[in-house]
Amino acid sequence: MKRILGIVLAAVLIGGVITAVVLGRDDGSGGSSTTKVRGVIGSEKAEFFQDERVREALADQGFEVETESSGSWDMKGLDLGGEDFAFPGSFAPAESLRSGHKTAGPTTRPFYSPLVVLARRPAAETLARNRYVKLSGQPGREGSGTLRMSAFLDAVKKDTAWQDLSGAGEFAELKGALSISSTDPLASNSGALYLATAAYVGNGNRPVTDRQGVEAITPLTRKLVAVQGYQKVNSDDLFRDFTTGVGTPLVLAYESQIAAHLLRGESADDIVVLYPDTTVFSDHSLVPFTDNGRKLGELLRSDPALRKLAVQHGFRPTDGTSEFDSATAKYSAHLRQKLTGTVQQAQPPRAEVMRDIARRSRAQK
């Protein structure tokens, strides 16, 4: 009788444990539960969140993250009622989102990336021959260089064509207007930051702060957009086109995109990474709408495993210079590990001023 009673009690205990585990998973309580978090992200971070290693690192911390990609500025027009967070590509669209939504804490910047220009080798060598670029590295095999932003913008103002440049005739692909392909500034963060950089340089290395300043800089920024024709909305699409040999000889990109490309072991023999002497650092900024979104932002910023994985995707962790340097040392021919003293950071305008620059630049004359 005692044996039977013991078996019954054991079965009841086991059943209770199973029920508790199931209920814990269902209601989000309990030490082994998984917290599901939803958010909208810039497309340049899609591969990071899709990486199985990232998913596992998040799961180790009790998080399951579902994401949807969008242009950073397009997020403003989305219904974000059911989202835990938004993660645009820089502070300005994050600031705009904060002004229109109830948030659960401050904006978090887990990592950042400077904007660079990717050039096909013939384009880079032609620009160097005409003093718009200074290449670095072994002659004939340079993997990086510096783009003289002011001189380049002056050339665009004058409607300079590739055919006007010395040596361009040697390369059949160098034809048409001299320009850098970028994304739509009304939808995408990188495209907007390109215009912000141009506005800063065109304004005497000072941020544009008011309507009068925007009007003064509009002829330049409008030309930068007009010479491109159709612009993509997604920075990831623009990068993929370039790396597969489609598109123009110069494209704007996040440094993280080419860094991740190299860290995956993919070829970049025909690519030269140009760091503008004046550029913008894209501060990837997470806006939390719920406590779970806030916790995710803090986790991305502080968890060692997630910081290491962010570097593997080309991002520079906040206060993590040594982490990036160590991971990318093998690719120093293409990537500039130290930015201080070699690259001036342009100060982007306030969100409303940046939007005004983008709208006027896209408008017809």
Side-chain angles (χ1 to χ4, degrees):
M1 189 67 180
K2 290 182 179 180
R3 183 180 180 186
I4 294 173
L5 182 60
I7 293 172
V8 171
L9 288 173
V12 171
L13 286 172
I14 292 170
V17 171
I18 293 172
T19 301
V21 170
V22 172
L23 289 176
R25 287 176 178 170
D26 287 343
D27 65 10
S29 63
S32 61
S33 64
T34 298
T35 301
K36 292 187 177 182
V37 183
R38 288 175 48 85
V40 181
I41 62 172
S43 63
E44 71 286 339
K45 293 181 283 290
E47 287 190 358
F48 172 76
F49 281 102
Q50 291 167 1
D51 189 332
E52 193 59 36
R53 298 169 300 172
V54 173
R55 292 180 178 274
E56 290 175 0
L58 288 168
D60 288 343
Q61 299 297 327
F63 279 86
E64 179 183 340
V65 181
E66 297 179 0
T67 61
E68 176 185 353
S69 295
S70 168
S72 291
W73 285 105
D74 275 349
M75 292 180 189
K76 183 75 172 178
L78 299 178
D79 180 5
L80 301 175
E83 308 295 338
D84 294 290
F85 70 93
F87 203 175
S90 69
F91 180 74
E95 180 185 31
S96 180
L97 287 167
R98 284 185 61 84
S99 67
H101 295 83
K102 183 179 179 181
T103 58
T107 297
T108 304
R109 187 189 78 158
F111 38 73
Y112 68 98
S113 182
L115 287 174
V116 298
V117 175
L118 303 182
R120 296 287 175 208
R121 185 166 299 281
E125 292 175 352
T126 299
L127 291 173
R129 183 179 298 182
N130 290 270
R131 300 182 180 276
Y132 294 112
V133 161
K134 181 179 180 181
L135 295 176
S136 57
Q138 185 176 346
R141 299 182 61 185
E142 298 94 340
S144 67
T146 300
L147 174 65
R148 296 185 171 102
M149 199 65 180
S150 180
F152 183 86
L153 293 176
D154 284 343
V156 174
K157 284 181 188 177
K158 298 174 184 177
D159 297 317
T160 303
W162 280 105
Q163 296 93 314
D164 298 327
L165 302 184
S166 174
E170 301 174 19
F171 309 103
E173 66 269 33
L174 298 182
K175 56 186 177 182
L178 182 65
S179 69
I180 298 170
S181 292
S182 62
T183 51
D184 184 345
L186 283 174
S188 172
N189 176 65
S190 58
L193 290 182
Y194 176 42
L195 298 186
T197 303
Y200 180 88
V201 174
N203 194 41
N205 286 348
R206 299 186 304 272
V208 175
T209 59
D210 53 28
R211 183 172 182 176
Q212 183 177 0
V214 174
E215 290 175 349
I217 208 68
T218 293
L220 169 61
T221 58
R222 182 174 286 164
K223 182 164 289 189
L224 293 175
V225 171
V227 295
Q228 296 184 51
Y230 171 76
Q231 291 179 292
K232 291 182 178 293
V233 172
N234 189 313
S235 59
D236 192 47
D237 289 344
L238 187 65
F239 177 76
R240 288 179 184 278
D241 282 354
F242 181 82
T243 55
T244 54
V246 179
T248 60
L250 299 175
V251 301
L252 190 76
Y254 294 104
E255 180 198 51
S256 59
Q257 293 173 302
I258 186 61
H261 181 87
L262 291 165
L263 287 164
R264 287 193 299 266
E266 298 184 36
S267 175
D269 291 342
D270 189 43
I271 298 175
V272 179
V273 183
L274 302 178
Y275 286 81
D277 55 13
T278 303
T279 190
V280 172
F281 291 6
S282 184
D283 298 322
H284 296 276
S285 303
L286 188 147
V287 182
F289 301 132
T290 66
D291 284 340
N292 286 334
R294 176 182 56 78
K295 291 175 184 177
L296 174 65
E298 294 171 353
L299 191 63
L300 290 171
R301 181 178 60 186
S302 62
D303 182 74
L306 289 167
R307 286 171 65 94
K308 183 177 181 179
L309 288 166
V311 170
Q312 289 301 308
H313 283 269
F315 298 109
R316 295 175 181 254
T318 300
D319 303 322
T321 301
S322 61
E323 295 168 81
F324 183 85
D325 290 353
S326 176
T328 60
K330 182 180 176 181
Y331 307 102
S332 58
H334 283 88
L335 302 176
R336 186 172 296 174
Q337 295 180 313
K338 306 297 182 184
L339 300 176
T340 304
T342 60
V343 174
Q344 179 182 356
Q345 184 174 1
Q347 181 179 342
R350 301 186 314 275
E352 61 270 22
V353 175
M354 187 177 293
R355 292 298 281 168
D356 193 21
I357 292 173
R359 281 192 294 267
R360 290 172 181 266
S361 302
R362 290 279 289 149
Q364 298 296 320
K365 292 183 180 180

